[in-house]
Coordinates of all heavy atoms in Angstrom, one line a residue:
V1 N -7.2 6.8 -2.5 CA -8.1 5.7 -2.4 C -8.0 5.0 -1.0 O -9.0 4.6 -0.4 CB -7.8 4.7 -3.5 CG1 -8.4 3.3 -3.3 CG2 -8.2 5.2 -4.9
G2 N -6.8 5.0 -0.4 CA -6.6 4.5 0.9 C -7.4 5.3 1.9 O -8.0 4.8 2.9
V3 N -7.4 6.6 1.8 CA -8.2 7.5 2.6 C -9.7 7.2 2.5 O -10.4 7.1 3.5 CB -7.9 9.0 2.4 CG1 -8.9 9.9 3.1 CG2 -6.5 9.3 2.7
A4 N -10.1 7.0 1.2 CA -11.5 6.7 1.0 C -11.9 5.4 1.7 O -13.0 5.2 2.3 CB -11.8 6.6 -0.5
V5 N -11.0 4.4 1.6 CA -11.3 3.1 2.2 C -11.3 3.3 3.7 O -12.2 2.7 4.4 CB -10.2 2.0 1.8 CG1 -10.3 0.8 2.7 CG2 -10.3 1.7 0.3
G6 N -10.4 4.1 4.3 CA -10.4 4.4 5.7 C -11.7 5.0 6.2 O -12.1 4.9 7.3
R7 N -12.4 5.7 5.2 CA -13.6 6.4 5.6 C -14.9 5.6 5.2 O -16.0 6.1 5.2 CB -13.7 7.8 4.9 CG -12.6 8.7 5.4 CD -12.7 10.1 4.8 NE -11.7 11.0 5.5 CZ -11.5 12.2 5.1 NH1 -12.2 12.7 4.1 NH2 -10.6 12.9 5.7
G8 N -14.7 4.3 4.9 CA -15.8 3.4 4.7 C -16.1 2.9 3.3 O -16.9 2.0 3.2
R9 N -15.4 3.4 2.3 CA -15.6 2.8 1.0 C -14.9 1.4 0.9 O -13.9 1.2 1.6 CB -15.1 3.7 -0.1 CG -15.9 4.9 -0.4 CD -15.5 5.4 -1.8 NE -16.2 6.6 -2.0 CZ -17.2 6.7 -2.9 NH1 -17.6 5.6 -3.5 NH2 -17.9 7.8 -3.1
T10 N -15.3 0.6 0.0 CA -14.6 -0.6 -0.3 C -13.4 -0.3 -1.2 O -13.5 0.6 -2.0 CB -15.4 -1.7 -0.9 OG1 -15.8 -1.3 -2.2 CG2 -16.7 -2.1 -0.1
L11 N -12.4 -1.1 -1.1 CA -11.2 -0.9 -2.0 C -11.6 -1.0 -3.4 O -11.2 -0.2 -4.3 CB -10.1 -1.9 -1.6 CG -8.9 -1.9 -2.5 CD1 -8.2 -0.5 -2.6 CD2 -7.9 -3.0 -2.2
E12 N -12.4 -2.0 -3.7 CA -12.9 -2.3 -5.1 C -13.6 -1.1 -5.6 O -13.4 -0.6 -6.8 CB -13.7 -3.5 -5.2 CG -13.0 -4.8 -4.8 CD -12.8 -5.1 -3.3 OE1 -13.3 -4.3 -2.5 OE2 -12.2 -6.1 -3.0
S13 N -14.5 -0.5 -4.9 CA -15.3 0.6 -5.3 C -14.5 1.9 -5.5 O -14.6 2.6 -6.5 CB -16.5 0.9 -4.3 OG -17.1 2.1 -4.6
A14 N -13.7 2.2 -4.5 CA -12.8 3.4 -4.6 C -11.8 3.3 -5.7 O -11.6 4.2 -6.5 CB -12.1 3.6 -3.3
A15 N -11.2 2.1 -5.9 CA -10.2 1.9 -7.0 C -10.9 2.0 -8.3 O -10.4 2.6 -9.3 CB -9.5 0.6 -6.8
A16 N -12.1 1.4 -8.5 CA -12.8 1.5 -9.7 C -13.2 2.9 -10.1 O -13.0 3.3 -11.3 CB -14.1 0.6 -9.7
K17 N -13.6 3.7 -9.1 CA -13.9 5.1 -9.4 C -12.7 5.9 -9.8 O -12.7 6.7 -10.8 CB -14.6 5.8 -8.2 CG -16.0 5.4 -7.9 CD -16.6 6.1 -6.7 CE -18.1 5.8 -6.6 NZ -18.9 6.7 -7.5
A18 N -11.6 5.7 -9.1 CA -10.4 6.4 -9.5 C -9.8 6.0 -10.8 O -9.4 6.8 -11.6 CB -9.3 6.2 -8.4
T19 N -9.9 4.7 -11.2 CA -9.5 4.2 -12.5 C -10.4 4.8 -13.6 O -9.9 5.2 -14.6 CB -9.5 2.7 -12.5 OG1 -8.6 2.2 -11.6 CG2 -9.1 2.2 -13.9
A20 N -11.7 4.8 -13.3 CA -12.6 5.4 -14.3 C -12.3 6.8 -14.6 O -12.3 7.3 -15.7 CB -14.1 5.2 -13.9
L21 N -12.0 7.6 -13.5 CA -11.6 9.0 -13.7 C -10.4 9.1 -14.5 O -10.3 10.0 -15.4 CB -11.4 9.6 -12.3 CG -11.0 11.1 -12.3 CD1 -12.1 11.9 -12.9 CD2 -10.8 11.5 -10.9
A22 N -9.4 8.3 -14.2 CA -8.1 8.4 -15.0 C -8.3 8.0 -16.4 O -7.8 8.7 -17.3 CB -7.1 7.4 -14.4
V23 N -9.1 7.0 -16.7 CA -9.4 6.6 -18.1 C -10.2 7.6 -18.8 O -9.9 8.0 -20.0 CB -10.1 5.2 -18.1 CG1 -10.5 4.9 -19.5 CG2 -9.2 4.1 -17.6
R24 N -11.1 8.2 -18.1 CA -12.0 9.3 -18.7 C -11.1 10.5 -19.1 O -11.2 11.0 -20.2 CB -13.1 9.7 -17.8 CG -14.0 10.8 -18.4 CD -14.9 11.4 -17.4 NE -14.2 12.3 -16.5 CZ -14.6 12.6 -15.3 NH1 -15.7 12.1 -14.8 NH2 -13.9 13.5 -14.6
D25 N -10.2 10.8 -18.2 CA -9.3 12.0 -18.5 C -8.3 11.6 -19.6 O -8.0 12.5 -20.4 CB -8.6 12.4 -17.2 CG -9.5 13.1 -16.3 OD1 -10.6 13.5 -16.6 OD2 -9.0 13.3 -15.1
E26 N -7.9 10.4 -19.7 CA -6.9 10.0 -20.7 C -7.5 10.0 -22.1 O -6.9 10.5 -23.0 CB -6.4 8.6 -20.4 CG -5.4 8.1 -21.5 CD -5.0 6.7 -21.3 OE1 -5.8 5.8 -21.0 OE2 -3.8 6.4 -21.3
V27 N -8.8 9.6 -22.3 CA -9.4 9.6 -23.6 C -10.0 11.0 -24.0 O -10.4 11.2 -25.1 CB -10.5 8.5 -23.8 CG1 -9.9 7.2 -23.7 CG2 -11.6 8.7 -22.8
G28 N -10.0 11.9 -23.0 CA -10.3 13.3 -23.4 C -11.6 13.8 -22.8 O -11.8 14.9 -22.5
S29 N -12.6 12.9 -22.7 CA -13.9 13.3 -22.1 C -14.7 12.1 -21.8 O -14.4 11.0 -22.3 CB -14.7 14.2 -23.1 OG -15.3 13.3 -24.1
P30 N -15.7 12.3 -20.9 CA -16.5 11.1 -20.5 C -17.3 10.5 -21.7 O -17.7 9.4 -21.6 CB -17.4 11.6 -19.4 CG -17.3 13.1 -19.4 CD -16.1 13.5 -20.2
T31 N -17.5 11.2 -22.8 CA -18.3 10.7 -23.9 C -17.4 10.1 -25.0 O -18.0 9.6 -25.9 CB -19.2 11.8 -24.4 OG1 -18.3 12.9 -24.9 CG2 -20.2 12.3 -23.4
T32 N -16.1 10.3 -24.9 CA -15.3 9.7 -25.9 C -15.0 8.3 -25.6 O -14.4 8.0 -24.6 CB -13.9 10.5 -26.0 OG1 -14.2 11.9 -26.2 CG2 -13.0 10.0 -27.1
P33 N -15.4 7.3 -26.5 CA -15.1 5.9 -26.2 C -13.6 5.6 -26.3 O -12.9 6.2 -27.1 CB -16.0 5.2 -27.2 CG -16.1 6.1 -28.4 CD -16.1 7.5 -27.7
P34 N -13.2 4.7 -25.5 CA -11.8 4.3 -25.6 C -11.5 3.5 -27.0 O -12.4 3.0 -27.5 CB -11.5 3.4 -24.4 CG -12.9 2.9 -24.0 CD -13.9 4.0 -24.5
D35 N -10.3 3.5 -27.4 CA -9.9 2.8 -28.6 C -10.0 1.3 -28.4 O -9.4 0.8 -27.5 CB -8.4 3.2 -29.0 CG -7.9 2.5 -30.2 OD1 -8.7 1.7 -30.8 OD2 -6.7 2.7 -30.5
P36 N -10.9 0.6 -29.1 CA -11.1 -0.8 -28.9 C -9.8 -1.6 -29.2 O -9.7 -2.7 -28.7 CB -12.2 -1.2 -29.8 CG -12.3 -0.1 -30.8 CD -11.7 1.1 -30.2
S37 N -8.9 -1.1 -30.0 CA -7.7 -1.9 -30.3 C -6.6 -1.7 -29.2 O -5.7 -2.5 -29.2 CB -7.1 -1.5 -31.6 OG -6.7 -0.2 -31.6

């Protein structure tokens, strides 16, 4: 994410994309909704 920021992305944008990727991988697929509880 620091490299992405150094190349012009905002920290907020790059961190949000990386977090979304981690969460997507954690729940199994991009279409599997996270557990609301």
Side-chain angles (χ1 to χ4, degrees):
V1 165
V3 170
V5 170
R7 292 184 177 177
R9 285 196 184 259
T10 66
L11 175 60
E12 294 82 358
S13 169
K17 284 182 174 278
T19 298
L21 179 63
V23 172
R24 182 187 75 202
D25 287 349
E26 181 183 44
V27 292
S29 77
T31 58
T32 304
D35 178 1
S37 65

